Amino acid sequence: MAVSQNENVTWLTQEAYDRLKEEYEYLSGPGRTDIAKKIEAAREEGDLRENGGYHAAKDEQGKMEARIFHLRQILDSARVGEAPRAEGVVGPGMTVTVRFRGDDEEVTFLLASREESGAPIDVYSPNSPLGAAINGKKVGETATYTMPNGRQSSVEILEAVPYIGN
């Protein structure tokens, strides 16, 4: 069975997967229990309208629940190992060198999940505007994408090689 490059797949190393799974298990278990205790303790202090501890704990709970949701999405779509790669074709797990239109400077980065920490070079997400535009392109091709400020920019793919690591 051939594996297609599905934009909904997050490729992770075993170490990154294990780290994210451990964080998820802590936050969704003991983390939830701890924050519930903080909220209950703050609630017992009285008037909730002027209770800074209560509001801080509720805010912390909201952020934690958002992180739990995000981690669950990553873990549900994760594949451990290396993304299928072909030298000269941009895809997740590739070290990519590009030149922006109108600029002589070359930029090199790893195209991978931002959760893949520890890379000694910049990491660009395949879901970012630039990452999505260059995914699947070959060396020598040009890709155009829309920047966050709404402007269009183009890059030329100079190199795409499998990421070797540190």
Side-chain angles (χ1 to χ4, degrees):
M1 180 174 128
V3 177
S4 66
Q5 283 194 354
N6 181 338
E7 65 187 52
N8 295 325
V9 171
T10 302
W11 291 95
L12 298 171
T13 61
Q14 185 66 55
E15 295 79 16
Y17 180 85
D18 292 345
R19 178 178 46 79
L20 295 174
K21 187 169 188 224
E22 185 178 310
E23 180 184 358
Y24 173 79
E25 288 172 353
Y26 170 77
L27 290 176
S28 62
R32 278 185 172 147
T33 303
D34 291 347
I35 196 67
K37 287 178 184 175
K38 282 184 186 177
I39 291 170
E40 187 57 36
R43 185 177 284 140
E44 290 174 3
E45 291 175 11
D47 187 357
L48 296 182
R49 289 174 296 173
E50 296 180 15
N51 188 330
Y54 173 79
H55 295 290
K58 289 295 282 182
D59 186 50
E60 183 181 343
Q61 180 187 39
K63 289 177 183 174
M64 187 176 74
E65 290 299 326
R67 179 66 177 162
I68 289 169
F69 179 77
H70 182 69
L71 288 170
R72 183 76 262 156
Q73 286 183 311
I74 291 169
L75 293 170
D76 285 347
S77 68
R79 293 227 182 120
V80 176
E82 296 185 12
R85 308 183 282 199
E87 191 160 328
V89 179
V90 176
M94 300 294 281
T95 301
V96 182
T97 303
V98 298
R99 181 182 306 119
F100 291 90
R101 182 184 63 211
D103 193 348
D104 289 334
E105 187 177 337
E106 298 177 2
V107 177
T108 301
F109 54 88
L110 170 62
L111 188 66
S113 166
R114 292 188 189 271
E115 298 293 339
E116 199 67 62
S117 65
I121 63 174
D122 288 338
V123 177
Y124 285 45
S125 168
N127 298 326
S128 69
L130 174 59
I134 65 174
N135 199 10
K137 296 281 187 188
K138 295 181 175 87
V139 170
E141 292 184 337
T142 301
T144 301
Y145 67 100
T146 303
M147 297 185 296
N149 66 7
R151 288 183 156 160
Q152 295 277 312
S153 184
S154 296
V155 294
E156 178 186 0
I157 313 301
L158 303 176
E159 184 177 51
V161 296
Y163 177 68
I164 298 167
N166 304 3

